[in-house]
Amino acid sequence: MTNSIKLYSDFPELIDNTSRDAFLSCPTKWQRQVIQKLAPIHTSKDLHFGGAFAMGLETIRRSFYEQNLSQGESLFRGVVEATKFYGNYEPPENHAKNYETLIHGLYSYVERYPLATDYITPIALPSGKRAVEFTFAVPIPEVVHPQTGNPILYGGRFDTIGKFQNTIFGLADKTTGQLGPSWSKQWDLNSQITGYSWAAGMSGFPLAGMVVRGQSILKNSFGFAEVVEYRPQWQIDRWLDQLVTDVQRMIEVWKSNKYDMNLASSCNSYGGCKFMTLCKSREPEKWLEGEYKNHFWNPLAKDPEAIPEGLK
């Protein structure tokens, strides 16, 4: 291993749904991804596309609701910002999520949900801005950081806090490959949606529910689906109790430096674990160079995969 890759060791100051999910699926995966800050050397095509799409939608909404521009002008600005985010990235050949479908997808979204008549309108904040791209970092009760003694934060972001018939809902936009019954059912008891509801309530915006909008990105067409998820307080309380338990276990595992391995379904689910190459080797460090890179995931950033300024 050369000095170009560093294996970090500090406990994270912020936990999000992605890192919690990694820990629950396999503590070794969590160690590689969250503690050591590793990722495959190639940028995730789905994450990059999703980030560019989210940037486009945020710009469209801010232009229309905050700056009072027309839908056409707002869409144009959204396309410009999405293009900047997308940059010179080249996805695999024939992959549906490419620059062309990114732009056509934004146009298709606004045709499906015209800004002037969308039933979810971003609420106005005291600052004069609208609640577009709601970002949160809320202290997790009962646990403290094992190195600093500070609160450990639960963080993330979702697209909008809006009003529907004078009732506050959250809105999460999701791009996907296929829509159908399985896509809709995946949000039942989904921890990300429950976490959104808890964090919004802790930030002074108790939600009646979360609207999840799905847009399928295909080579020649786009599909749409919506589900409304409700989280009664008892479900939120149960989720929070489990989160505290999970973070306490993370701390115990980190302190012991003994990371269990799933060695079962997590290794091959969803196309296979990205750290399988390391787990299959007796000397995993020999596979780091050329296969992996340092990866600084920040769910609060516009581009959660961007390298921090001080480390560029």
Side-chain angles (χ1 to χ4, degrees), residues 10 47 49 68 87 89 92-93 112 149 179 184 192 206 209 222 236 240 244 246 253 271 277-278:
D10 288 337
L47 280 176
F49 183 95
N68 297 316
Y89 176 73
E93 188 175 357
R112 176 78 176 194
L179 293 169
S184 298
Q192 185 182 59
F222 304 96
I236 294 175
L240 182 57
V244 170
D246 293 340
V253 168
T277 298
L278 301 180

Side-chain angles (χ1 to χ4, degrees), residues 64-65 71 108-120:
F64 186 84
Y65 293 110
Q71 177 168 297
S108 183
Y109 185 97
V110 172
E111 287 179 358
R112 176 78 176 194
Y113 305 107
L115 298 169
T117 57
D118 195 337
Y119 69 89
I120 295 182

Side-chain angles (χ1 to χ4, degrees), residues 104-255:
H104 289 168
L106 290 172
Y107 274 85
S108 183
Y109 185 97
V110 172
E111 287 179 358
R112 176 78 176 194
Y113 305 107
L115 298 169
T117 57
D118 195 337
Y119 69 89
I120 295 182
T121 303
I123 64 172
L125 300 174
S127 64
K129 293 184 176 295
R130 297 290 188 123
V132 176
E133 283 293 311
F134 178 71
T135 302
F136 58 86
V138 182
I140 301 172
E142 301 180 36
V143 291
V144 296
H145 195 281
Q147 292 167 284
T148 68
N150 294 329
I152 297 174
L153 304 176
Y154 183 78
R157 58 195 289 131
F158 59 90
D159 295 278
T160 299
I161 294 180
K163 272 192 177 182
F164 172 58
Q165 295 183 347
N166 292 320
T167 303
I168 298 179
F169 281 83
L171 171 63
D173 290 300
K174 304 288 185 181
T175 56
T176 184
Q178 296 286 344
L179 293 169
S182 61
W183 181 88
S184 298
K185 290 180 69 66
Q186 71 177 297
W187 308 111
D188 293 347
L189 297 182
N190 180 274
S191 62
Q192 185 182 59
I193 300 303
T194 314
Y196 288 164
S197 300
W198 173 73
M202 292 295 292
S203 302
F205 302 101
L207 304 180
M210 283 289 305
V211 177
V212 186
R213 282 182 178 169
Q215 181 172 354
S216 61
I217 308 295
L218 306 175
K219 289 182 180 179
N220 300 309
S221 64
F222 304 96
F224 296 89
E226 277 190 331
V227 294
V228 181
E229 287 290 323
Y230 298 98
R231 294 293 189 268
Q233 190 60 47
W234 69 267
Q235 286 189 5
I236 294 175
D237 293 342
R238 181 179 65 181
W239 170 89
L240 182 57
D241 286 343
Q242 186 63 55
L243 176 66
V244 170
T245 298
D246 293 340
V247 175
Q248 289 171 337
R249 287 175 54 212
M250 290 177 188
I251 294 172
E252 292 171 4
V253 168
W254 177 83
K255 285 181 176 179

Side-chain angles (χ1 to χ4, degrees), residues 65-85:
Y65 293 110
E66 292 180 357
Q67 301 173 30
N68 297 316
L69 298 181
S70 68
Q71 177 168 297
E73 292 172 311
S74 300
L75 182 57
F76 175 78
R77 289 194 175 190
V79 167
V80 169
E81 293 304 315
T83 300
K84 290 179 182 178
F85 188 107

Side-chain angles (χ1 to χ4, degrees), residues 20-86:
R20 176 176 178 260
D21 188 60
F23 180 81
L24 295 178
S25 66
C26 177
T28 292
K29 178 181 179 181
W30 180 75
Q31 178 201 20
R32 297 293 193 189
Q33 179 174 307
V34 177
I35 302 298
Q36 296 182 335
K37 302 188 185 306
L38 295 176
I41 198 166
H42 298 293
T43 300
S44 167
K45 53 187 180 294
D46 292 325
L47 280 176
H48 189 74
F49 183 95
F53 195 86
M55 175 61 75
L57 283 184
E58 178 186 357
T59 304
I60 289 169
R61 289 184 173 122
R62 290 200 185 281
S63 299
F64 186 84
Y65 293 110
E66 292 180 357
Q67 301 173 30
N68 297 316
L69 298 181
S70 68
Q71 177 168 297
E73 292 172 311
S74 300
L75 182 57
F76 175 78
R77 289 194 175 190
V79 167
V80 169
E81 293 304 315
T83 300
K84 290 179 182 178
F85 188 107
Y86 195 82

